[in-house]
Amino acid sequence: MTDAGDMRARYRRILRFAARYLVQAWWYELFLPRIGLAAIGNRNRPARLRRIAQRFHVLAVDLGGLMIKVGQFLSSRLDVLPPEVTKELEGLQDEVPPVDFAAIRALAEAELGVPLARAFSSVDPVPLAAASLGQAHRAVLSDRDAADTGLRGVVLKVQRPGIDRVVDVDLRALRRVAGWLSRVRVVAARVDMHALVEEFAATSLEEIDYLQEAANSERFAAEVARDGRVGVPEVVWERTTRRVLTLEDVTAIKINDVAALRAAGIDPKDVAAEFASVMFDQLFADGFFHADPHPGNIFVTPRAVSVDEATDASSRPWTLTFIDFGMMGSVPEGLRRGLRRLLIAAASRDGKGLVDGIRDVGVLLPSADTAELERAMTQLFARFGGMGFAELQEVDPREFRAFAVEFGDTVRSLPFQLPENFLLIIRAMSLTSGMCSALDPAFNIWDAVEPYANRLIQEEGGNVVQGFARQIVTEVGVAARLPRRIDDLVTRMLDGRVTVQNPKVERRLVSLERMGRRILSGVLFAALFVGGILLRGEDVVWGTVVVVASAIPLLHALLAGIVGRR
């Protein structure tokens, strides 16, 4: 098969996989609930999701390319995906077959314009790491380059041969799938799939431009230059092109290697707290952040401590060294202010403030009616606020289920949209939270958020007096607007445009609607059955067909009743 034939086969395979499971999702998640049989889909959902994740895992490893990146993103979404899915996909972080070194050598020599033996004193043919878009090898700079740069040991990162075409095909397939999903009303009402895929495409195309990655590395190094907690490798520009990147070798203890950390006298709990603080600074203070902080991209590097630092309790005898700057995100100042407000509201368990912050960052459209969401957030904080992952796991699952049933429809009905770069922010925070919990099972994100939020308030000049002043101004504004709002309410009442929403009443209406469907099925069964009996007198075949067909509405009437009681 030709290369073009391989690419066509790859494209069709991705689309076949997506089409198969989109149809399955439509059947179980949309069609069955519509006819009152939602419990049939709910009954085996965990096993069904696990099978889908397993098959996607196989597909991603087999195809490589962006499919690995898609799987990595899904594996980090612990906040929205069930553990059956994330557990099956988390192996994609490291499970990528390497490319033969001969192909890597050929591409690197073509890019650098000289044989590797002249560019480097040595290159280890065994890869240090194999990623979905490229792989890394340890190398030693030539004497001349070492004298010019002051470096000796480096890491040579080379793209996988032909990855440009693979990325192009994968993006075409993802755009096609996004088009399918955009035609599903439930999906289209909540997310702009085309914008989501285009943002993913822009990020992926930047990842295969190593000149961009080198520039990102230097910008990140400048941002954290005064932060002694963070280290960044130097770029060897003389041996860097769009497809080849040469960096200082900063390999140290992998951040999730708990045994190695303890052997070096480093407490994993301290690493978790420091890592969370560093990522918060990147997101909420600096505005330029590492969007792919998975375990393979962060090292804990022990360092010598000076006499002055030894007396400083806050000083650490190690640094967090970041590598792989292909996926970076920028947070504009306006979005950063909104994120700070979100963080402060979450730390103070302020449900209304949290909803206001969500609106400020652009996740909720201005037309969204958030009264029910505010009530849901307030009750959520009252019951679960302050709990870490370990404590949440001890909560009765039925309590979570009851909360989801009560407020699920409210959340799903709201018009959501994702602002620019928000996907990367979500990914960075998901990976950060997961990594901290792995280092410290008792890690509580609230403990990390609260002191940081308090610091933000102080930095922005917030104090108790100013807080009261702002509250008074807010209340005065509400009072000033009250006559107009009352007038608007009376006008809406006179026009018949006032609606009252009550989740319990709505659930009762759903129950009545389901009962109505059962009654309709019963009437249809009776009509078909009696009609079939009468028809048999004139035409035995057609009469029998109609009698048999009457079993379909009968089964629905019976099964819907059983399912409804469960």
Side-chain angles (χ1 to χ4, degrees):
M1 183 182 290
T2 64
D3 288 344
D6 288 338
M7 292 299 105
R8 284 195 297 271
R10 179 187 185 90
Y11 179 76
R12 288 195 296 266
R13 187 174 174 187
I14 295 171
L15 291 186
R16 279 199 305 270
F17 183 92
R20 176 179 178 180
Y21 291 109
L22 284 177
V23 169
Q24 185 182 107
W26 171 82
W27 175 261
Y28 285 107
E29 307 299 334
L30 296 177
F31 180 74
L32 289 182
R34 186 171 296 175
I35 63 173
L37 299 176
I40 293 178
N42 295 338
R43 193 177 306 147
N44 62 347
R45 178 179 284 131
R48 187 171 69 250
L49 293 175
R50 191 179 301 110
R51 283 195 301 271
I52 295 173
Q54 289 170 344
R55 287 165 185 166
F56 182 82
H57 190 291
V58 172
L59 177 79
V61 171
D62 190 29
L63 293 181
L66 290 187
M67 294 301 101
I68 293 284
K69 290 293 179 185
V70 172
Q72 288 177 338
F73 173 70
L74 295 176
S75 73
S76 69
R77 294 306 305 272
L78 303 174
D79 50 341
V80 295
L81 292 175
E84 293 85 4
V85 173
T86 57
K87 187 68 176 176
E88 290 296 334
L89 296 180
E90 64 184 9
L92 286 171
Q93 304 290 4
D94 297 311
E95 188 182 327
V96 184
V99 177
D100 185 71
F101 183 67
I104 293 293
R105 175 190 290 275
L107 191 150
E109 291 181 342
E111 283 290 310
L112 296 174
V114 295
L116 284 187
R118 284 181 54 191
F120 300 93
S121 294
S122 65
V123 179
D124 188 349
V126 179
L128 178 65
S132 54
L133 305 181
Q135 66 187 48
H137 294 259
R138 276 201 175 95
V140 177
L141 287 177
S142 64
D143 293 339
R144 179 179 175 180
D145 287 344
D148 291 340
T149 62
L151 302 175
R152 192 66 176 171
V154 294
V155 171
L156 178 66
K157 186 175 176 181
V158 184
Q159 280 186 11
R160 287 179 170 249
I163 194 64
D164 287 342
R165 296 176 61 198
V166 169
V167 168
D168 180 63
V169 168
D170 289 357
L171 288 177
R172 283 198 294 119
L174 289 174
R175 289 183 177 112
R176 185 75 177 274
V177 174
W180 293 345
L181 288 170
S182 297
R183 294 186 179 92
V184 180
R185 188 179 304 171
V186 176
V187 176
R190 286 200 291 275
V191 64
D192 185 344
M193 286 302 304
H194 289 295
L196 201 64
V197 170
E198 289 309 317
E199 186 169 353
F200 181 75
T203 302
S204 301
L205 292 173
E206 283 186 3
E207 277 201 82
I208 60 174
D209 183 353
Y210 285 170
L211 290 175
Q212 179 66 48
E213 180 174 343
N216 288 341
S217 175
E218 292 208 330
R219 179 183 171 185
F220 186 78
E223 294 279 355
V224 300
R226 292 187 297 274
D227 190 344
R229 303 170 300 171
V230 181
V232 183
E234 290 187 35
V235 178
V236 182
W237 284 101
E238 295 81 355
R239 298 303 177 199
T240 295
T241 71
R242 198 176 77 83
R243 293 184 176 87
V244 174
L245 176 61
T246 306
L247 296 164
E248 175 189 5
D249 188 356
V250 292
T251 307
I253 303 172
K254 209 170 179 180
I255 191 172
N256 66 340
D257 191 342
V258 174
L261 289 173
R262 290 201 173 108
I266 300 172
D267 189 343
K269 294 181 180 179
D270 293 340
V271 175
E274 201 75 84
F275 179 51
S277 177
V278 165
M279 290 304 298
F280 284 152
D281 277 338
Q282 291 179 31
L283 283 162
F284 303 113
D286 302 332
F288 187 64
F289 63 95
H290 198 298
D292 195 22
H294 67 75
N297 286 341
I298 304 159
F299 296 112
V300 178
T301 307
R303 65 182 181 88
V305 179
S306 66
V307 176
D308 292 337
E309 288 178 318
T311 60
D312 185 357
S314 64
S315 179
R316 307 285 190 190
W318 43 268
T319 58
L320 294 170
T321 304
F322 287 75
I323 63 171
D324 193 350
F325 301 92
M327 188 184 295
M328 303 294 292
S330 297
V331 187
E333 182 55 36
L335 179 57
R336 207 180 317 163
R337 282 196 301 269
L339 290 173
R340 286 173 183 156
R341 185 172 181 179
L342 269 176
L343 188 69
I344 293 168
S348 58
R349 321 290 198 268
D350 179 3
K352 185 180 184 306
L354 190 68
V355 174
D356 290 341
I358 292 172
R359 193 192 293 275
D360 284 349
V361 299
V363 174
L364 278 176
L365 293 176
S367 61
D369 183 2
T370 57
E372 278 297 313
L373 184 60
E374 288 175 14
R375 186 170 69 88
M377 290 297 110
T378 301
Q379 292 195 17
L380 177 68
F381 281 132
R383 175 61 186 92
F384 305 116
M387 289 188 177
F389 287 115
E391 294 171 294
L392 287 172
Q393 289 173 356
E394 296 176 1
V395 176
D396 189 341
R398 289 174 295 184
E399 190 170 355
F400 282 126
R401 197 176 302 120
F403 186 88
V405 167
E406 185 171 359
F407 298 109
D409 291 340
T410 299
V411 174
R412 283 192 292 271
S413 67
L414 292 172
F416 284 93
Q417 66 178 9
L418 290 174
E420 184 181 0
N421 246 349
F422 211 73
L423 178 65
L424 296 180
I425 294 172
I426 294 171
R427 174 180 173 79
M429 291 308 299
S430 297
L431 287 172
T432 299
S433 181
M435 176 57 61
C436 291
S437 296
L439 288 168
D440 179 9
F443 177 81
N444 190 331
I445 192 67
W446 302 104
D447 293 339
V449 165
E450 285 191 79
Y452 193 85
N454 291 333
R455 196 178 85 196
L456 281 179
I457 294 172
Q458 292 171 1
E459 288 175 357
E460 292 177 4
N463 54 42
V464 176
V465 174
Q466 290 174 325
F468 276 122
R470 284 194 294 269
Q471 185 68 25
I472 290 171
V473 171
T474 300
E475 299 299 337
V476 169
V478 171
R481 292 191 299 271
L482 191 58
R484 179 181 294 274
R485 296 182 71 176
I486 292 174
D487 182 62
D488 290 342
L489 177 60
V490 171
T491 301
R492 291 175 66 186
M493 291 175 65
L494 292 175
D495 292 343
R497 292 184 289 115
V498 175
T499 60
V500 178
Q501 293 183 339
N502 187 312
K504 293 183 178 179
V505 172
E506 290 175 0
R507 286 198 297 275
R508 181 60 179 164
L509 289 174
V510 170
S511 177
L512 291 173
E513 183 181 357
R514 187 184 298 117
M515 185 182 300
R517 290 198 191 105
R518 290 178 57 206
I519 293 172
L520 180 61
S521 294
V523 171
L524 185 58
F525 158 70
L528 289 174
F529 185 78
V530 173
I533 294 295
L534 295 175
L535 188 60
R536 278 174 60 89
E538 299 181 6
D539 190 326
V540 175
V541 175
W542 276 108
T544 303
V545 168
V546 173
V547 169
V548 172
S550 70
I552 297 175
L554 174 63
L555 287 173
H556 173 259
L558 295 174
L559 291 176
I562 296 171
V563 169
R565 285 194 295 272
R566 291 184 179 179

